[in-house]
């Protein structure tokens, strides 16, 4: 197994660690400053999430630079991304920090685009990541970090950046999903006969 795939696997293994710090009922102390409060376990989870999210670019860069692109990497990389984002979103819903509908929209889009890519592969096409797909990832990560750190530092000026970022992520997620389907509708053959 090459270095890029090991980094991708490390991202997958970080998912349950993040969830542990978010969901396991351990009495971690709080940091309180005026109207802002956060637990140490949230800070730890946020830091691990940032490290895990940053490995997405790192493994791809290493794979391309060292010519280590493999079929295993093509499978693991998007799987790791979806596991990371989905697990943290579900945890944030459980914690009451984000609406379930936002998590459902984001996770549903990931399943839909993955399905489209699988159909394309069966037809001999490869659907590359689009600029809207990259924007989707960036806005989702920004929103998740803002939610994990309890809207710091915007809490001090009573601006709900975490909520705004969540809405922006949901809107761009929907748009990027529609963009993938509109640009690749030729891949889906609705008139195909069952055998």
């Amino acid at each position: 197994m090459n270095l890029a795939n090991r980094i991708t696997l490390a991202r997958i293994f970080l998912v349950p660690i993040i969830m542990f710090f978010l969901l396991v009922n351990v009495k971690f102390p709080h940091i309180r400053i005026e109207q802002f409060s956060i637990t140490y376990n949230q800070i730890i989870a946020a830091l691990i999430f940032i490290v895990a999210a940053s490995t997405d670019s790192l493994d791809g860069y290493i794979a391309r630079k060292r010519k280590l692109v493999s079929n295993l990497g093509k499978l693991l990389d998007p799987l790791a991304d979806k596991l990371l984002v989905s697990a943290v979103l579900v945890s944030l819903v459980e914690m009451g920090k984000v609406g379930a509908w936002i998590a459902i929209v984001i996770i549903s889009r990931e399943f839909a685009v993955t399905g489209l890519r699988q159909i394309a592969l069966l037809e001999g096409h490869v659907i590359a990541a689009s600029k809207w797909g990259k924007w989707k990832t960036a806005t989702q990560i920004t929103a998740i970090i803002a939610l994990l750190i309890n809207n710091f530092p915007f809490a001090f000026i009573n601006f709900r950046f975490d909520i705004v970022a969540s809405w922006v992520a949901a809107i761009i997620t929907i748009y990027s999903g529609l963009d993938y389907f509109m640009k690749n509708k030729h891949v889906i053959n609705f008139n195909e006969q069952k055998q």
Side-chain angles (χ1 to χ4, degrees):
M1 181 175 295
N2 64 47
L3 177 60
N5 290 344
R6 285 190 185 126
I7 293 170
T8 305
L9 274 177
R11 185 158 75 253
I12 293 171
F13 289 129
L14 288 175
V15 170
I17 298 170
I18 295 168
M19 292 184 73
F20 169 81
F21 282 105
L22 290 177
L23 299 177
V24 173
N25 191 14
V26 178
K27 300 294 182 191
F28 287 97
H30 280 72
I31 297 172
R32 295 187 205 290
I33 308 168
E34 296 174 17
Q35 68 270 37
F36 177 76
S37 175
I38 189 168
T39 60
Y40 284 104
N41 59 320
Q42 283 179 265
I43 295 170
I44 294 167
L47 290 173
I48 297 170
F49 177 80
I50 292 166
V51 168
S54 65
T55 64
D56 183 27
S57 299
L58 180 63
D59 60 9
Y61 172 78
I62 289 172
R64 287 186 300 275
K65 183 166 175 102
R66 297 187 181 181
K67 297 184 178 20
L68 299 173
V69 176
S70 66
N71 287 334
L72 180 62
K74 288 177 187 175
L75 170 73
L76 285 180
D77 187 56
L79 177 65
D81 298 341
K82 288 165 183 50
L83 283 173
L84 179 65
V85 169
S86 299
V88 175
L89 279 173
V90 169
S91 300
L92 289 168
V93 169
E94 174 72 16
M95 296 166 70
K97 291 186 166 293
V98 69
W101 74 269
I102 289 179
I104 291 167
V105 162
I106 290 172
I107 294 168
S108 298
R109 182 265 185 208
E110 298 304 336
F111 278 112
V113 171
T114 299
L116 177 66
R117 283 194 159 125
Q118 293 301 318
I119 292 169
L121 279 175
L122 292 172
E123 298 290 325
H125 303 288
V126 175
I127 300 176
S130 71
K131 68 175 181 179
W132 283 107
K134 292 174 183 174
W135 275 104
K136 178 265 312 177
T137 301
T139 57
Q140 286 177 3
I141 289 170
T142 301
I144 288 170
I145 292 170
L147 290 161
L148 286 173
I149 60 174
N150 289 354
N151 200 36
F152 180 83
F154 300 97
F156 295 110
I157 58 171
N158 290 321
F159 174 61
R160 293 306 307 261
F161 175 79
D162 54 347
I163 301 299
V164 172
S166 299
W167 274 83
V168 169
I171 291 165
I172 291 180
T173 295
I174 293 167
Y175 183 83
S176 72
L178 292 173
D179 183 59
Y180 272 107
F181 275 88
M182 293 305 293
K183 288 182 177 169
N184 298 286
K185 59 186 174 188
H186 62 278
V187 169
I188 303 172
N189 183 2
F190 291 106
N191 297 321
E192 187 176 13
Q193 298 291 322
K194 286 190 175 181
Q195 304 213 1

